[in-house]
Amino acid sequence: MEQTKIDDYKSFSVFKLSIPIFFQMLLSMCLGYTDTIMLSHFDENAVGAIGNANHLTGFLVLAFSIISSSTGVIVAQYLGAKRKHQMNQIYTLSIFFNLVLSVFVSAVIFLFARPLLTAMKVPRMMLEDSTSYIKITGMFLFCQAIIGIFQQIFVCNGKTNLCMFLSMGISILNIIGNWCFLYGPLKFLNFAVKGVALSTSLSQICGTVFCIIVFYKVIGGRIDLKSLNPFPANLLKKLIQLGIPTAGENIFYTISQIIITTIINTMGEVSITAKVYCSTLSLLAMTFSNAAGGATAIVIGHATGAGDEDYAYRKVLQSTRNAMIASFIIAGLNALLSRFTLTLFSKNPEIIEIGKSVMIVAFFLELGRCLNIVIIRSLRAAGDVLFPTVLGMVSMWGISVVFSFVLGKIFNLGLTGVWIAMAMDEIIRGIIVLIRWIKGSWRGKSIVNR
């Protein structure tokens, strides 16, 4: 099952690496919508209950990204530096830490699920289902914690297709499980939301088993607790120092999106509905940018770990150019065809008119986002994690949130004004990180000691 030689980072093809990442991301998004779609034909209140539960769980599991994101950086650089003798120690420490963390998060969910959901103002008619769902899925959060680590390990070893197969398998199992509990042979149990929760959890357990088998058989890795004696405190320190900025940015981004959504919610039902449709139409371009950024980061991690920063410099500029061309085409078609594609969602002329204006702005937003994602992922892979994080926090709040309110509400540009604000954020941030990459401020920040 050899894809490419990890000893030779120059043999990596960004395009070939990005295709499985792209489909893996699409499948992951489909998994997130599967429960909602299947429940929508069964009980609409249950849909709202699961939605609220997932909002809370999604926020809490961001803690797992502290170690999983930094594991990706360290594994790629150590493989590039041919420091393979330390890999099992890195794998073991990362998995052990996330397992401990998942136990803590699960305990918080199990003990405080109802108070937390009540604080979120979950309607009383949905509270019982939300509590049941989050308690069941919360008991199996260790699967998400472990899968996140294994996905980083697979990706950094060039096995991006394994992540695609993993997401596909989990999605299929989840759909089958939902059908069994809601409409199939297990319908007589009348589990409803509990059945969906069990289906989600069982599919992730199967995903965890798949990861462990592949980790041992394909990657050739080992979980060796002896490697943690004496405890590698310096390695854990590296993992946390690299991971906290990335996790912090994700948390700030999530909160900023909640605030922006709140602003949009004050604009009326037409704007709220148009926002959902335009976001859906933009998913393809956004997913492509993330896939290109993830694939480029793999190469840059290996190159900087090997000390070949000149190759990394050229590769990022080449990948950015190619990704921008593809993003230009996708976003351009989205804008040109929006008057037709929006009618697939709605026949309301007001929604279509607002959506058309938004999709024109989205063309510029997606170009900025593509530039932003590819270079920021590369900076992190090179070990330059603090600058893009601080920049992101300042830009997301100082431009995206502030100008969403100013342009959308004060200047009365509505949803289009919000999209302009987000485009300003992405474009300005993208230009700044491009300048940083060209200036070479990221050089010498590799976490591999030479």
Side-chain angles (χ1 to χ4, degrees):
M1 293 182 68
E2 190 69 25
Q3 269 188 322
T4 185
K5 296 179 179 179
I6 60 174
D7 292 321
D8 184 12
Y9 53 88
K10 292 183 180 179
S11 67
F12 280 124
S13 165
V14 171
F15 178 72
K16 289 181 180 178
L17 288 171
S18 66
I19 292 175
I21 295 176
F22 176 80
F23 285 107
Q24 182 258 323
M25 288 179 174
L26 282 181
L27 287 167
S28 294
M29 284 189 288
C30 289
L31 177 61
Y33 291 118
T34 298
D35 292 344
T36 302
I37 293 170
M38 296 190 77
L39 265 174
S40 65
H41 299 288
F42 186 84
D43 183 353
E44 288 189 354
N45 282 334
V47 173
I50 287 184
N52 280 293
N54 282 334
H55 273 304
L56 178 57
T57 305
F59 184 76
L60 291 173
V61 299
L62 282 173
F64 301 153
S65 67
I66 293 175
I67 296 300
S68 60
S69 60
S70 57
T71 297
V73 176
I74 289 181
V75 168
Q77 291 199 12
Y78 272 60
L79 286 173
K82 296 180 173 57
R83 300 266 290 267
K84 296 180 187 177
H85 60 284
Q86 290 183 266
M87 298 314 301
N88 287 337
Q89 184 183 52
I90 296 170
Y91 298 153
T92 304
L93 180 61
S94 299
I95 290 170
F96 177 77
F97 186 93
N98 256 15
L99 269 177
V100 173
L101 191 59
S102 69
V103 171
F104 174 75
V105 175
S106 292
V108 169
I109 288 176
F110 193 79
L111 294 173
F112 304 105
R114 185 177 288 270
L116 288 170
L117 290 167
T118 302
M120 290 174 61
K121 305 297 182 185
V122 174
R124 184 172 296 179
M125 66 179 67
M126 298 179 183
L127 188 59
E128 196 61 42
D129 281 341
S130 287
T131 304
S132 299
Y133 182 86
I134 201 171
K135 280 190 173 183
I136 292 172
T137 55
M139 286 190 293
F140 297 94
L141 283 181
F142 69 91
C143 292
Q144 288 190 47
I146 294 175
I147 288 173
I149 297 292
F150 279 126
Q151 284 180 322
Q152 290 293 332
I153 292 170
F154 298 160
V155 163
C156 292
N157 278 274
K159 311 293 185 181
T160 54
N161 61 336
L162 293 177
C163 293
M164 180 180 69
F165 295 142
L166 171 65
S167 293
M168 187 183 299
I170 291 176
S171 297
I172 292 171
L173 289 174
N174 192 47
I175 291 170
I176 293 173
N178 286 347
W179 178 80
C180 287
F181 281 109
L182 295 176
Y183 310 105
L186 299 178
K187 182 181 178 181
F188 74 94
L189 295 171
N190 199 29
F191 276 3
V193 169
K194 291 180 182 177
V196 171
L198 286 170
S199 173
T200 299
S201 300
L202 289 171
S203 65
Q204 295 201 339
I205 290 172
C206 292
T208 303
V209 173
F210 172 83
C211 286
I212 293 171
I213 293 171
V214 168
F215 174 71
Y216 275 84
K217 297 293 186 181
V218 180
I219 303 299
R222 293 292 181 271
I223 305 301
D224 183 11
L225 292 177
K226 292 180 181 179
S227 66
L228 302 184
N229 185 23
F231 189 77
N234 285 335
L235 179 57
L236 179 59
K237 183 180 177 182
K238 282 182 180 179
L239 284 166
I240 293 174
Q241 284 178 336
L242 288 169
I244 284 179
T246 301
E249 183 181 1
N250 288 335
I251 291 170
F252 272 88
Y253 174 78
T254 301
I255 297 172
S256 70
Q257 289 303 301
I258 290 172
I259 294 173
I260 290 172
T261 301
T262 303
I263 293 171
I264 294 171
N265 286 343
T266 65
M267 297 177 180
E269 291 183 8
V270 171
S271 292
I272 295 170
T273 306
K275 182 255 186 187
V276 174
Y277 297 155
C278 292
S279 296
T280 303
L281 290 175
S282 297
L283 279 177
L284 186 64
M286 185 172 66
T287 305
F288 171 80
S289 296
N290 275 299
T296 305
I298 297 170
V299 181
I300 302 312
H302 281 260
T304 52
D308 195 349
E309 292 179 333
D310 289 337
Y311 178 81
Y313 174 82
R314 296 191 302 272
K315 195 66 178 178
V316 168
L317 295 181
Q318 179 190 47
S319 295
T320 302
R321 180 197 65 203
N322 294 339
M324 289 285 285
I325 292 172
S327 187
F328 179 91
I329 295 171
I330 296 171
L333 287 173
N334 249 345
L336 290 172
L337 299 176
S338 61
R339 67 174 61 197
F340 306 109
T341 52
L342 285 166
T343 58
L344 298 175
F345 299 100
S346 174
K347 302 300 181 184
N348 186 327
E350 195 174 351
I351 290 176
I352 294 172
E353 206 55 41
I354 292 174
K356 282 162 51 180
S357 299
V358 167
M359 293 311 298
I360 292 172
V361 179
F363 169 77
F364 299 97
L365 186 152
E366 294 306 330
L367 290 178
R369 193 189 332 248
C370 181
L371 177 65
N372 203 3
I373 288 175
V374 174
I375 298 181
I376 283 182
R377 289 282 190 89
S378 300
L379 287 171
R380 290 199 185 113
D384 187 8
V385 296
L386 189 57
F387 177 82
T389 299
V390 174
L391 173 65
M393 291 177 180
V394 173
S395 183
M396 282 184 289
W397 286 76
I399 298 177
S400 200
V401 172
V402 171
F403 281 93
S404 287
F405 179 78
V406 172
L407 296 175
K409 297 293 290 183
I410 297 177
F411 283 85
N412 204 30
L413 292 177
L415 192 64
T416 305
V418 173
W419 245 254
I420 291 172
M422 292 193 294
M424 288 166 56
D425 168 31
E426 297 287 357
I427 292 170
I428 291 171
R429 229 184 328 156
I431 292 172
I432 291 172
V433 293
L434 176 61
I435 292 171
R436 184 173 181 82
W437 187 264
I438 292 172
K439 287 178 63 179
S441 303
W442 51 275
R443 292 178 184 265
K445 294 185 183 290
S446 170
I447 48 89
V448 177
N449 297 320
R450 301 189 178 283

